[in-house]
Amino acid sequence: MKLLSKLLLLALLVALPTSTLVAANTPKDKTDKEIMRKVDALMKKMTLREKIGQLIQLRPSEGDITGPDGEQLKVEDFIREGCCGSLLSVASPDEIMRFQRLAVDSSRLGIPLLFGHDVIHGCRIIFPENLGVSASWDVEAAERLARVSAEEAAAFGIAWTFSPMCDVSADPRWGRVSEGSGEDPYLGAAMARAMVRGYQGDDLSDPNTILACVKHFAAYGAPQGGRDYNTVDMSERMFRDRYLPPYRAAIDEGAATVMTSFNDFNAIPATGNKWLMRTVLRDELGFDGFVVTDYNAMHEMVAHGVAADGKEAAAMAFDAHVNMDMVDCDYLMYGEELVRERRVSEKTIDELCRAVLVAKFRLGLFDDPYRYGGDRYETAMYKSENLKIARDVARKSMVLLRNENDLLPLDGNERMALIGPFGDSGSEMLGSWSAFGEGDRSITFLEGLQERFGSENVAYTEGCKPLEQIEGGIDAAVAAANGADVVLLALGLPNKCSGEAASMTSIELPQPQLELLDAVAATGKPVAILLVTGRPMDITDEVGKVDAVLVTWHAGTMAGAALADVVSGDFNPSGRLTMTFPYDIGQVPIHYSMKRTGRPMPSPDARAKYLSRYLFTPNEPLYCFGYGLSYTTFDYSDLKVLTPEVKIGEPVRVSVKVTNSGKRDGDEVVQLYLHDKVASTTRPVRELKGFRKVALKAGESKVVEFTIQPEDMAFCRADMEFAQEPGDFDVWIGHDSNAPLHGGFTVKQDIRK
Ligand code: GLC
């Protein structure tokens, strides 16, 4: 090839934008054009080191950072040098203000810092853990949670939350199920969208909006063995059908940032996984914000064994177009060297830096670096209208699993004994990742019940600690039970058994609590378990010993008030499980949308040997996805498929009549499930493709209509296209994933195409 042609080709290659990053810096509108102009002007002044500095996120509260040659460096030094773009987990509004002033006044270009924090289910006011919020099946509730969180976080000085957590998971051994929206991609997607809306609103320049962060990309909820950080290995089809939808939904909703996950994904750690981070995230999903690693996840690629050292890890992350390095500083230590060695282009660094600066401009930080935090803090926290919202979300999240003899609601004349380690603990109501929640500001179960029923009607004794016995605890509990008409037994798992690095091989109640339960049940008094947990639990052996089970989750700041609302009947429980409660841990991972297999159960010949079953354990769970009781009853009838035959690309309309056949007004979560009877791949026996919360007065009926969109019937076909196929479909509508009321429709190939 002639020299001229080579030179022309070289010029072309150098000029080509790194395609997958261009979207991140393409102006959306006139305002954005102005922002891009300002960003370009600022970047012209920046050194390469200062551009890399914007890609560094540090955490001051974990002590000093070790510099390139090992000396202890203070965060302040990084900020002064313009080598820090963001701080996370700064503990107070004053500290945030101090660091911001340092950045603006003492660094060469005065670029404001971006403050991030895990405000995932509240900031000061703590809402139920997200698994509980998803059990409300109330996307408006999720959006309100995020709005209140954003208002308090912004007043605290935080402009970026590491939320929503969009990891689908069917494995309750994994402690982080508490942070997500359960096992179903369709519900998870709806919740993710709602939370992005809540955090970001429709204008990031509004001082009460904050950046959302879609995490943990990707498929972090499927670690082998349910063990946190463990290997994730699945087919691309499984990923696209079951795990991708909530991430995609949050990004479609405009989430400004994404966080990489700790896990490897099909043998390449997410943080250095070009297929995930460029092909899928940027090229396919069109993500145009910026990507931050999870905590130290870049350097952990050395431990994963795919990078020999921090420099190689940085090179992999740059190549995956990861913008920001959370706390390990590999970008800062090796970025300039990698550019000198032409292993990463300065153009890539420019694009990665530009996306971070664009986000800061969109937040208005360059107009006013102190718009977040400051004196707003004093008036924004614990507002009464926000506490009311937290109470409403908490009571809507609670799931009534058992209620023999209609033990609940209580009529208020009963002498109550509240017993158990979670009966009077404000801190244990907060769950994991409780941001700046304050346990002593929480309303405990005891406080809520005494407020509602009168102190004289509610006695309390702890009985045992969450994980250990108390001397004389059981005797005191038995005495309290004998002196009462009804026992409320607050059992479950403490905060530390929820969230990150909290995997468990048993999801049963801890032994001291089982002993307490047996002793109290032996009194013969009616007992309701109040189950405080951030995950499904194996309570198969316990449910038969008590009359009622109410899953309260870790219900947050307003836990006691919300509990009293439910126990008194002031609020009729409407929560429905979004994660299966297994019959036995041996069934895990278990979820409702399994495949049929070639030897399906149930079988006409239940005694047949060669079926997909266990020898001594049922296939069915203890409580299925979508399950939850009410103080009333709901009947379903007249399922009508209004469009029994459609063409590919056309919606399907179905209706059903729902009747409140009981004596109390209540909310029902009407759920619609589909099954593609014959397809080019095996398909789940059921998939949630619609839900609606419906308020019905006692005796009232309503016709509920659903429109199933074509994209809701799409899947990753045998040809790997994500699209619909013609064929016959089952449709069920009802109370949970076992709904029996059935209809069918056919999707025809559109022969004109
Ligand atoms: C943690 C978590 C992540 C969190 C981040 C910052 O290790 O995995 O969810 O947002 O670090 O705290």
Side-chain angles (χ1 to χ4, degrees):
M1 184 186 288
K2 293 195 181 60
L3 179 59
L4 178 61
S5 316
K6 279 184 180 174
L7 287 173
L8 279 173
L9 179 63
L10 183 63
L12 185 65
L13 286 174
V14 169
L16 262 185
T18 39
S19 63
T20 51
L21 279 170
V22 165
N25 300 299
T26 306
K28 294 183 169 71
D29 53 30
K30 193 163 153 296
T31 312
D32 254 9
K33 267 210 184 78
E34 180 55 13
I35 286 177
M36 297 297 176
R37 192 190 58 71
K38 289 176 180 172
V39 166
D40 288 341
L42 172 57
M43 287 186 67
K44 285 194 174 71
K45 300 174 193 164
M46 293 170 75
T47 64
L48 174 59
R49 187 165 178 80
E50 287 167 333
K51 291 174 195 171
I52 293 172
Q54 287 302 304
L55 311 184
I56 301 302
Q57 182 181 60
L58 299 177
R59 175 170 178 167
S61 54
E62 287 291 286
D64 302 334
I65 310 293
T66 306
D69 48 7
E71 87 276 8
Q72 288 298 303
L73 283 176
K74 289 223 169 298
V75 169
E76 290 82 347
D77 299 339
F78 285 73
I79 294 170
R80 282 192 199 91
E81 276 182 46
C83 291
C84 175
S86 170
L87 292 178
L88 80 150
S89 305
V90 179
S92 76
D94 292 345
E95 275 292 88
I96 286 175
M97 205 46 86
R98 178 174 75 83
F99 283 123
Q100 191 68 301
R101 289 199 190 290
L102 185 67
V104 172
D105 299 342
S106 309
S107 72
R108 189 175 75 87
L109 294 169
I111 298 173
L113 295 169
L114 179 60
F115 291 88
H117 195 74
D118 293 283
V119 178
I120 78 169
H121 56 108
C123 184
R124 274 280 191 236
I125 296 176
I126 300 301
F127 288 74
E129 282 178 307
N130 302 80
L131 185 62
V133 176
S134 71
S136 73
W137 292 64
D138 185 333
V139 289
E140 282 73 36
E143 185 168 343
R144 281 197 297 273
L145 175 167
R147 281 257 24 79
V148 170
S149 303
E151 183 184 340
E152 289 198 332
F156 199 97
I158 292 155
W160 179 21
T161 180
F162 305 126
S163 176
M165 190 270 217
C166 301
D167 305 323
V168 170
S169 185
D171 195 331
R173 293 172 296 182
W174 188 53
R176 302 201 76 167
V177 296
S178 62
E179 303 172 43
S181 295
E183 67 192 45
D184 183 74
Y186 184 88
L187 182 76
M191 289 292 164
R193 284 182 180 278
M195 292 186 78
V196 170
R197 284 196 302 271
Y199 291 132
Q200 298 190 171
D202 49 22
D203 176 6
L204 280 176
S205 67
D206 174 336
N208 278 321
T209 61
I210 60 178
L211 302 182
C213 181
V214 181
K215 73 183 187 183
H216 307 78
F217 199 73
Y220 180 36
Q224 289 178 1
R227 177 158 52 86
D228 207 355
Y229 318 121
N230 203 9
T231 304
V232 171
D233 205 308
M234 62 176 69
S235 68
E236 181 181 338
R237 174 171 291 111
M238 170 67 81
F239 172 62
R240 291 179 179 283
D241 282 343
R242 267 193 67 75
Y243 291 85
L244 186 58
Y247 304 119
R248 179 172 53 224
I251 287 159
D252 286 350
E253 201 63 36
T257 70
V258 165
M259 182 184 290
T260 69
S261 57
F262 288 119
N263 56 284
D264 60 344
F265 179 81
N266 295 349
I268 300 176
T271 303
N273 192 313
K274 285 169 65 174
W275 182 78
L276 271 183
M277 295 300 156
R278 293 175 61 170
T279 307
V280 175
L281 180 63
R282 295 198 190 264
D283 296 346
E284 275 186 35
L285 301 188
F287 175 64
D288 63 359
F290 74 81
V291 175
V292 62
T293 72
D294 201 340
Y295 199 98
N296 204 42
M298 186 180 300
H299 200 75
E300 287 176 9
M301 288 198 279
V302 178
H304 272 291
V306 295
D309 52 32
K311 180 178 174 183
E312 293 312 308
M316 281 185 74
F318 274 129
D319 202 18
H321 289 173
V322 170
N323 299 75
M324 193 176 278
D325 172 2
M326 186 187 285
V327 309
D328 59 40
C329 285
D330 284 344
Y331 269 6
L332 187 63
M333 289 188 205
Y334 307 107
E336 291 166 283
E337 194 178 331
L338 288 167
V339 169
R340 279 196 299 277
E341 294 170 1
R342 297 186 182 288
R343 295 186 58 192
V344 61
S345 72
E346 185 153 0
K347 182 158 194 49
T348 294
I349 303 280
D350 287 353
E351 296 299 339
L352 295 173
C353 171
R354 183 175 280 112
V356 174
L357 293 174
V358 165
K360 291 183 176 182
F361 269 97
R362 284 179 178 154
L363 286 167
L365 286 173
F366 280 91
D367 299 330
D368 174 9
Y370 310 108
R371 67 197 330 249
Y372 285 89
D375 53 14
R376 291 167 57 183
Y377 172 69
E378 293 313 321
T379 55
M381 304 301 161
Y382 293 117
K383 285 181 177 173
S384 59
E385 64 266 30
N386 291 338
L387 288 167
K388 284 200 189 85
I389 292 171
R391 176 173 184 164
D392 187 50
V393 174
R395 61 193 189 184
K396 285 177 176 172
S397 69
M398 295 184 181
V399 184
L400 184 61
L401 294 180
R402 181 183 174 86
N403 194 23
E404 296 299 297
N405 317 313
D406 290 335
L407 174 64
L408 298 177
L410 302 178
D411 63 23
N413 301 318
E414 304 90 346
R415 292 170 302 156
M416 277 172 245
L418 174 64
I419 297 171
F422 300 97
D424 191 29
S425 168
S427 60
E428 287 296 354
M429 296 293 104
L430 300 185
S432 62
W433 296 107
S434 54
F436 299 110
E438 300 167 302
D440 58 3
R441 294 293 299 264
S442 298
I443 300 177
T444 70
F445 285 171
L446 179 60
E447 290 162 347
L449 291 168
Q450 289 187 333
E451 170 67 23
R452 175 64 178 74
F453 294 104
S455 311
E456 68 288 354
N457 286 330
V458 188
Y460 170 67
T461 184
E462 195 174 14
C464 68
K465 295 297 182 191
L467 304 175
E468 56 195 44
Q469 294 170 335
I470 298 176
E471 185 66 38
I474 286 188
D475 293 346
V478 168
N482 284 328
D485 302 316
V486 62
V487 178
L488 300 177
L489 201 46
L491 306 177
L493 293 172
N495 298 335
K496 69 181 179 184
C497 292
S498 212
E500 186 172 355
S503 297
M504 297 166 70
T505 56
S506 162
I507 53 172
E508 296 182 24
L509 285 166
Q511 191 55 34
Q513 294 183 46
L514 292 174
E515 289 161 11
L516 178 65
L517 166 57
D518 285 344
V520 168
T523 65
K525 297 287 182 175
V527 176
I529 290 177
L530 310 177
L531 192 61
V532 177
T533 180
R535 67 174 87 208
M537 295 188 73
D538 176 351
I539 51 175
T540 303
D541 295 341
E542 286 67 52
V543 290
K545 298 175 183 173
V546 299
D547 302 81
V549 178
L550 176 72
V551 185
T552 68
W553 312 108
H554 293 105
T557 304
M558 298 302 285
L563 174 76
D565 290 343
V566 172
V567 164
S568 66
D570 291 348
F571 179 81
N572 186 351
S574 56
R576 303 286 184 265
L577 294 179
T578 56
M579 262 192 98
T580 301
F581 268 54
Y583 181 89
D584 183 291
I585 189 82
Q587 296 173 318
V588 166
I590 180 173
H591 56 85
Y592 80 94
S593 53
M594 300 293 223
K595 305 293 188 73
R596 274 176 62 80
T597 78
R599 298 192 171 185
M601 286 284 282
S603 155
D605 174 5
R607 298 312 316 149
K609 175 178 173 61
Y610 300 100
L611 293 170
S612 182
R613 67 193 314 170
Y614 303 99
L615 282 179
F616 307 113
T617 305
N619 287 7
E620 293 71 29
L622 182 64
Y623 296 112
C624 69
F625 176 87
Y627 178 80
L629 298 176
S630 169
Y631 293 148
T632 187
T633 50
F634 298 102
D635 296 337
Y636 287 79
S637 58
D638 301 341
L639 189 155
K640 292 195 178 86
V641 179
L642 307 171
T643 53
E645 191 171 289
V646 296
K647 295 192 189 69
I648 281 200
E650 293 179 339
V652 173
R653 289 174 40 239
V654 189
S655 71
V656 71
K657 182 176 166 186
V658 191
T659 300
N660 178 340
S661 47
K663 298 185 178 57
R664 278 176 179 267
D665 299 352
D667 292 344
E668 170 64 328
V669 181
V670 183
Q671 301 161 41
L672 180 146
Y673 295 89
L674 287 190
H675 172 233
D676 188 342
K677 296 173 85 164
V678 179
S680 61
T681 68
T682 55
R683 304 289 297 127
V685 292
R686 293 195 186 201
E687 290 180 288
L688 179 75
K689 293 296 179 184
F691 62 92
R692 192 86 45 78
K693 272 194 110 163
V694 180
L696 289 167
K697 295 196 176 315
E700 183 184 11
S701 294
K702 278 181 185 170
V703 173
V704 180
E705 187 172 318
F706 290 94
T707 299
I708 307 162
Q709 297 302 336
E711 58 268 21
D712 287 336
M713 292 180 271
F715 65 102
C716 197
R717 304 182 314 193
D719 62 4
M720 291 308 287
E721 284 297 308
F722 192 81
Q724 266 189 291
E725 280 183 354
D728 296 332
F729 285 76
D730 293 312
V731 53
W732 295 270
I733 304 180
H735 182 74
D736 60 37
S737 55
N738 285 331
L741 193 57
H742 174 264
F745 61 86
T746 300
V747 176
K748 290 271 189 209
Q749 185 69 47
D750 185 349
I751 46 176
R752 286 169 303 137
K753 285 180 184 165

